[in-house]
Amino acid sequence: MPRIQLRITGDRDVFDDVLTAVHGIDRVERVEEIDDFMSDFRDDSSSQNLSDDMSSKTYTLEVEVPNERIGERVREIAEETAGTREAAIEFIGPDEIEM
Protein backbone atom coordinates (compact mmCIF):
# COMPACT_ATOMS: atom_id res chain seq x y z
CA MET A 1 0.00 0.00 0.00
CA PRO A 2 1.56 3.33 -1.05
CA ARG A 3 2.44 5.75 1.70
CA ILE A 4 2.85 9.49 1.26
CA GLN A 5 4.52 11.81 3.73
CA LEU A 6 4.34 15.55 3.41
CA ARG A 7 5.56 18.50 5.43
CA ILE A 8 3.64 21.73 5.81
CA THR A 9 5.39 24.88 6.97
CA GLY A 10 2.91 27.41 8.28
CA ASP A 11 0.59 27.83 11.20
CA ARG A 12 -1.49 25.08 12.80
CA ASP A 13 -4.69 26.23 11.07
CA VAL A 14 -3.13 25.64 7.64
CA PHE A 15 -1.99 22.16 8.64
CA ASP A 16 -5.45 21.34 10.00
CA ASP A 17 -7.02 22.52 6.72
CA VAL A 18 -4.73 20.23 4.71
CA LEU A 19 -5.39 17.32 7.08
CA THR A 20 -9.17 17.81 6.76
CA ALA A 21 -9.00 18.11 2.97
CA VAL A 22 -6.95 14.91 2.65
CA HIS A 23 -9.26 13.11 5.08
CA GLY A 24 -12.18 13.96 2.79
CA ILE A 25 -10.75 12.14 -0.24
CA ASP A 26 -12.55 8.87 -1.03
CA ARG A 27 -10.60 5.64 -0.50
CA VAL A 28 -7.79 7.18 1.59
CA GLU A 29 -6.85 4.42 4.02
CA ARG A 30 -5.15 6.35 6.84
CA VAL A 31 -4.22 9.95 7.65
CA GLU A 32 -1.97 10.57 10.65
CA GLU A 33 0.06 13.45 12.02
CA ILE A 34 3.65 12.39 12.65
CA ASP A 35 5.74 13.96 15.39
CA ASP A 36 8.87 15.47 13.88
CA PHE A 37 11.40 15.81 16.67
CA MET A 38 13.85 17.64 14.42
CA SER A 39 11.41 20.34 13.29
CA ASP A 40 12.58 22.81 15.94
CA PHE A 41 16.29 22.19 15.32
CA ARG A 42 18.23 24.69 13.21
CA ASP A 43 21.79 24.44 11.98
CA ASP A 44 22.18 28.20 12.12
CA SER A 45 21.62 29.15 15.75
CA SER A 46 22.35 32.83 15.02
CA SER A 47 18.85 33.27 13.58
CA GLN A 48 17.06 30.91 15.93
CA ASN A 49 13.93 32.32 17.62
CA LEU A 50 13.87 35.54 15.61
CA SER A 51 10.39 37.03 15.24
CA ASP A 52 10.25 35.99 11.55
CA ASP A 53 10.76 32.36 12.59
CA MET A 54 8.30 32.29 15.47
CA SER A 55 5.02 32.30 13.51
CA SER A 56 5.67 29.24 11.33
CA LYS A 57 6.16 25.66 12.33
CA THR A 58 6.68 22.46 10.37
CA TYR A 59 4.09 19.68 10.60
CA THR A 60 4.37 16.21 9.06
CA LEU A 61 1.44 14.21 7.72
CA GLU A 62 1.47 10.55 6.68
CA VAL A 63 -1.20 9.19 4.34
CA GLU A 64 -1.79 5.61 3.19
CA VAL A 65 -3.63 5.10 -0.09
CA PRO A 66 -4.71 1.96 -1.96
CA ASN A 67 -3.02 2.90 -5.25
CA GLU A 68 -0.93 5.54 -6.97
CA ARG A 69 -3.96 7.16 -8.63
CA ILE A 70 -5.43 8.04 -5.22
CA GLY A 71 -1.95 9.09 -4.09
CA GLU A 72 -1.75 11.59 -6.93
CA ARG A 73 -5.15 12.97 -5.91
CA VAL A 74 -3.88 13.37 -2.32
CA ARG A 75 -0.85 15.30 -3.59
CA GLU A 76 -3.04 17.58 -5.74
CA ILE A 77 -5.51 18.36 -2.95
CA ALA A 78 -2.78 18.91 -0.33
CA GLU A 79 -0.81 21.20 -2.63
CA GLU A 80 -3.90 23.19 -3.62
CA THR A 81 -5.07 23.57 -0.02
CA ALA A 82 -1.64 24.65 1.28
CA GLY A 83 -1.14 26.96 -1.71
CA THR A 84 -4.38 28.85 -1.14
CA ARG A 85 -3.20 29.57 2.41
CA GLU A 86 0.31 30.51 1.21
CA ALA A 87 2.01 27.74 3.18
CA ALA A 88 5.01 25.76 2.01
CA ILE A 89 4.45 22.07 1.29
CA GLU A 90 7.10 19.42 0.71
CA PHE A 91 6.49 15.84 -0.36
CA ILE A 92 8.98 13.43 1.17
CA GLY A 93 10.18 10.72 -1.19
CA PRO A 94 10.03 7.02 -0.28
CA ASP A 95 13.81 6.84 0.14
CA GLU A 96 13.61 9.62 2.76
CA ILE A 97 11.00 7.81 4.89
CA GLU A 98 12.35 5.72 7.73
CA MET A 99 10.53 2.40 7.98
Side-chain angles (χ1 to χ4, degrees):
M1 181 170 308
R3 183 171 48 152
I4 302 164
Q5 276 194 359
L6 52 99
R7 286 188 192 119
I8 307 280
T9 302
D11 62 24
R12 181 67 198 202
D13 291 341
V14 174
F15 176 77
D16 288 340
D17 287 350
V18 172
L19 185 131
T20 300
V22 169
H23 237 299
I25 300 171
D26 287 339
R27 300 185 61 209
V28 167
E29 302 287 331
R30 182 178 67 86
V31 180
E32 182 178 344
E33 181 177 359
I34 304 296
D35 290 333
D36 187 358
F37 298 109
M38 296 300 287
S39 66
D40 294 329
F41 178 75
R42 293 182 61 119
D43 286 338
D44 178 12
S45 62
S46 64
S47 61
Q48 198 166 20
N49 294 327
L50 291 177
S51 61
D52 289 348
D53 293 339
M54 298 304 286
S55 63
S56 293
K57 187 170 179 190
T58 301
Y59 302 92
T60 304
L61 185 66
E62 185 172 89
V63 184
E64 285 185 7
V65 295
N67 57 51
E68 196 53 44
R69 185 176 63 81
I70 302 297
E72 189 56 38
R73 183 74 179 134
V74 165
R75 289 180 193 92
E76 289 171 2
I77 294 294
E79 191 168 23
E80 180 180 309
T81 304
T84 60
R85 298 287 305 273
E86 297 181 0
I89 186 167
E90 173 188 8
F91 295 96
I92 305 166
D95 43 318
E96 296 177 47
I97 299 172
E98 293 182 24
M99 304 233 182

